[in-house]
Amino acid sequence: MKKRLGLLALTAVLTSVAYGASIDHIQTYTPEYLGNSAQNGMINNVSAYYNPAGLVHLEKGTYVQIGAQLAVGHEKMEYNDKDYKADLFQPIPNFALYKVEDDSALYWTFGALGGGGDLKYDDGVAGTAVIPDIFYPLPISTTGSKAEGSNLYVQTTLGKVWKVNDKLSLSAAGRVIYGSRTLKGDLYLNGKLKNPIGGEIININESAHIDSERTAWGFGGQFGLNYKASDRLNFGLRYDTRVQMNFEADADENKIKKIGSLPILLPETGLGFGDFYPEYADGVKQRRDLPAILAAGMSYKVTDNWTVGLSGNYYFNKDAKMDRGAKNKSVNIPFPGQSIDKEIKGIEAEYDNGYEIALGTEYRINPKWAVLGGVNYAYTGAKYTSYDDVEFALDSIMIGTGLKYNSDETTEWVFTVAHYFYDSESGHYDKKYPADKYPAVKNPEYSKSITAFGVGYTKRF
């Protein structure tokens, strides 16, 4: 029974993943990225985030850059012909301050670095939907179960840029990151069945609950290089170091102590979410790093009014230590009239290194208005073994556009919109619950649909 109830933990662990391109990382640091995702080789008012070494090529002055994004859409799991969907409504602010001088620049940025906001599944999730099929043919239901989770990383970065000569500039920065991963889960296990021995009706009405927050602080570095080959051609390079994140959970949890009047043995402490997802149990410490990123790009001015860009990001996921779900153990269930001994195999989540490639353009219609456009392909590196209620980082194509408005020489507004087209992928229930032992279990499907809107403002003093 213990391993069967291990599936109940899937009800709650719903930390939403990045709506961008990696496991936890996002690249949508600013609204301008939504309109043109090829920012790594650009020199513009958001270079402090993507190409900080290029800041020295801006006009002298002190810059204030403020942005706000709104991501809307849904994340969905389909199991046994039923959709389990959570709506996404997540505002994402950012702020930057930088000072450009003749041969150097200082910059400070603040905003989201990873995560994806808050998700609430009012009708449960695939992890709860599978439970009746695991218990098949017993008439057990998880009606009323709910779950909610969030995942957010916030960063602040302080750095300096040095101009080596008219072509080459270098940057270095330190950064502090705060991570928060929360989960709330209410599981209701209910049903009625007839005791085959005594004939009486056995009522099952049990519940488990958890309210947990995992938090961590991390420190990292950022290093950049910009090479301005000519007035038209520019190259940018940035390396963000891996950030070690030692999460600690603070949880309030109650567990299932019994299963109706069935003679099913449970641990003395009861059984709950923390037994199967120990990283969310109270006081548990476990690492989940943010992987290092190598970002490179180029921009080329085709004409005085038209600039194109090409960018690439490489995520070193294999070098980052990320927590894994606990493996379930075998268990004996002394149900009246039969003895069941089944083993649910723990599936270890696996990740390859990830990457994304972006092509973007900016066309200036006149001194006040410019049009942005871009397309981005992202391979997250997450294998199907990592897909479950905990996370499902899916590959995607992002298409974005936007407008820039310069009301005067020192003021710029940016308005952008982008849509993410995610792949739909199957889970691994067919491997975790073999058909010869669990014939009623189906394989889940995971999908997302997200649109993001952005507004940015930059003022030079």
Side-chain angles (χ1 to χ4, degrees):
M1 185 65 196
K2 180 178 179 181
K3 67 182 173 173
R4 285 187 172 185
L5 284 180
L7 297 173
L8 308 188
L10 293 175
T11 306
V13 189
L14 296 169
T15 49
S16 63
V17 300
Y19 79 84
S22 186
I23 307 302
D24 287 322
H25 271 295
I26 62 172
Q27 289 297 320
T28 50
Y29 306 136
T30 69
E32 187 156 339
Y33 184 89
L34 298 176
N36 174 10
S37 53
Q39 290 292 328
N40 294 340
M42 295 285 184
I43 297 176
N44 55 29
N45 288 330
V46 295
S47 289
Y49 291 92
Y50 304 102
N51 182 23
L55 286 174
V56 291
H57 294 290
L58 294 176
E59 291 190 41
K60 288 178 59 177
T62 299
Y63 293 73
V64 176
Q65 200 279 323
I66 303 171
Q69 299 172 61
L70 179 64
V72 297
H74 67 262
E75 298 195 10
K76 184 175 68 175
M77 293 165 280
E78 181 182 337
Y79 180 77
N80 205 8
D81 297 325
K82 183 177 179 180
D83 291 341
Y84 299 87
K85 187 170 70 171
D87 292 330
L88 176 67
F89 186 88
Q90 180 65 31
I92 305 169
N94 71 277
F95 180 81
L97 179 66
Y98 41 102
K99 183 177 182 180
V100 180
E101 300 179 330
D102 289 330
D103 296 318
S104 65
L106 290 172
Y107 68 97
W108 172 64
T109 66
F110 175 83
L113 181 67
D118 183 86
L119 294 175
K120 186 176 182 181
Y121 289 82
D122 292 327
D123 299 319
V125 291
T128 47
V130 76
I131 294 171
D133 293 332
I134 292 293
F135 276 90
Y136 180 83
L138 300 182
I140 293 178
S141 169
T142 56
T143 301
S145 298
K146 298 180 180 180
E148 182 177 1
S150 65
N151 174 14
L152 180 65
Y153 295 82
V154 178
Q155 66 82 28
T156 182
T157 300
L158 180 63
K160 185 171 182 177
V161 185
W162 297 269
K163 188 175 183 180
V164 179
N165 53 46
D166 289 340
K167 293 183 179 294
L168 180 66
S169 54
L170 305 174
S171 67
R175 59 191 349 186
V176 180
I177 293 93
Y178 174 76
S180 173
R181 306 174 69 88
T182 69
L183 98 87
K184 298 179 182 179
D186 291 294
L187 174 88
Y188 298 99
L189 192 63
N190 44 68
K192 291 184 178 182
L193 64 153
K194 190 174 183 179
N195 191 325
I197 297 179
E200 74 277 9
I201 299 298
I202 298 175
N203 292 308
I204 299 174
N205 186 16
E206 311 298 340
S207 64
H209 168 78
I210 193 169
D211 185 349
S212 178
E213 181 179 19
R214 301 171 61 203
T215 57
W217 289 91
F219 304 91
Q222 183 184 82
F223 304 93
L225 177 151
N226 189 85
Y227 184 73
K228 193 172 178 62
S230 67
D231 290 339
R232 292 190 178 275
L233 181 62
N234 188 75
F235 296 93
L237 185 70
R238 190 187 84 249
Y239 179 74
D240 297 343
T241 66
R242 181 186 66 181
V243 179
Q244 180 175 318
M245 304 289 287
N246 293 301
F247 281 88
E248 182 173 1
D250 182 8
D252 178 19
E253 180 181 14
N254 60 53
K255 300 184 177 184
I256 294 174
K257 302 294 185 180
K258 58 184 178 63
I259 306 297
S261 60
L262 297 177
I264 297 176
L265 301 178
L266 296 179
E268 291 183 2
T269 57
L271 198 63
F273 301 119
D275 295 303
F276 302 96
Y277 288 89
E279 63 269 26
Y280 282 94
D282 188 48
V284 170
K285 299 178 181 180
Q286 197 163 5
R287 277 180 61 177
R288 185 181 177 96
D289 298 344
L290 287 172
I293 304 175
L294 180 63
M298 58 83 67
S299 62
Y300 181 73
K301 294 190 70 172
V302 182
T303 68
D304 290 342
N305 295 323
W306 181 27
T307 303
V308 296
L310 178 66
S311 287
N313 298 312
Y314 192 80
Y315 300 89
F316 296 89
N317 297 327
K318 287 187 175 181
D319 292 332
K321 293 185 178 181
M322 301 183 189
D323 50 33
R324 301 290 189 265
K327 291 186 177 181
N328 299 313
K329 300 178 180 179
S330 61
V331 66
N332 184 64
I333 306 173
F335 184 74
Q338 59 180 314
S339 179
I340 304 175
D341 191 4
K342 299 181 179 180
E343 182 180 359
I344 299 174
K345 297 180 180 180
I347 303 295
E348 190 76 7
E350 297 178 295
Y351 303 96
D352 287 332
N353 290 335
Y355 64 87
E356 61 182 327
I357 300 173
L359 178 65
T361 181
E362 178 178 328
Y363 182 78
R364 184 152 292 280
I365 302 171
N366 55 48
K368 289 187 177 295
W369 290 95
V371 179
L372 304 176
V375 60
N376 176 294
Y377 171 74
Y379 170 75
T380 67
K383 296 185 178 181
Y384 78 99
T385 55
S386 69
Y387 300 153
D388 56 24
D389 298 345
V390 178
E391 60 178 302
F392 46 101
L394 305 176
D395 299 345
S396 65
I397 294 176
M398 183 192 83
I399 297 178
T401 188
L403 292 172
K404 277 187 178 181
Y405 174 66
N406 298 92
S407 57
D408 56 52
E409 293 182 352
T410 64
T411 306
E412 181 176 87
W413 289 89
V414 177
F415 308 92
T416 56
V417 60
H419 185 76
Y420 291 81
F421 298 87
Y422 289 93
D423 290 348
S424 178
E425 298 289 349
S426 299
H428 58 268
Y429 285 8
D430 55 340
K431 301 291 190 301
K432 194 171 186 179
Y433 314 114
D436 60 334
K437 295 182 178 180
Y438 304 95
V441 174
K442 308 296 189 299
N443 215 20
E445 294 284 333
Y446 301 93
S447 63
K448 304 179 185 182
S449 179
I450 296 175
T451 301
F453 305 87
V455 178
Y457 171 79
T458 304
K459 181 68 175 180
R460 174 169 56 89
F461 298 93

